[in-house]
Amino acid sequence: MNPHPIDERKAPDDRMAGAARQAAALESRGRAEPKPSLGSRLGQIGILGWAIVLPTLMGLALGTLAGAWHFMSLRWNWPLFAEGRAAAALALQLARFALTGALLFLLARGIAMRRHGGRP
């Protein structure tokens, strides 16, 4: 919305003077209220971006490590079954399930604490 509309019915000289006054007013208002610098705008975007990206990257890294441990433990498990040591293989399976459950519990507890301000 134009704070100082230029009246089209006035003479060309009056319209020119009105446009000059309007430009001067906009320039003085621009000096009084400067826009944020490019660095501060990028900083604000960066903070918001890292608030989203950092937890995602941490979750990706934890998931990759958990998946690698899962498949490595399977690699240790099948030779036990092949050698006829079923009790050791089942114990390893139970340990895998217990560690996976503990990891998921801790992750869920951390998320709940973050959402509820430190209370699980």
Side-chain angles (χ1 to χ4, degrees):
M1 181 164 237
N2 192 350
H4 305 288
I6 299 172
D7 190 4
E8 297 294 328
R9 293 173 288 162
K10 292 184 180 180
D13 289 338
D14 289 340
R15 286 192 307 225
M16 182 73 75
R21 280 191 299 276
Q22 184 178 5
L26 286 173
E27 183 179 345
S28 66
R29 188 171 37 169
R31 276 192 230 121
E33 302 170 11
K35 292 182 181 179
S37 68
L38 179 63
S40 66
R41 286 186 186 214
L42 288 176
Q44 290 171 348
I45 292 170
I47 290 170
L48 179 62
W50 280 111
I52 295 168
V53 169
L54 192 60
T56 303
L57 290 177
M58 288 173 45
L60 183 64
L62 283 174
T64 301
L65 289 173
W69 185 84
H70 171 77
F71 287 110
M72 286 301 294
S73 64
L74 279 176
R75 185 175 174 198
W76 301 328
N77 204 4
W78 71 264
L80 293 174
F81 277 118
E83 293 172 2
R85 298 172 53 194
L90 289 175
L92 184 59
Q93 281 292 95
L94 288 175
R96 288 178 59 231
F97 291 149
L99 285 174
T100 302
L103 176 66
L104 291 175
F105 174 76
L106 290 174
L107 287 173
R109 183 174 170 88
I111 291 170
M113 288 181 73
R114 187 180 282 182
R115 283 190 182 162
H116 299 293
R119 296 184 330 264

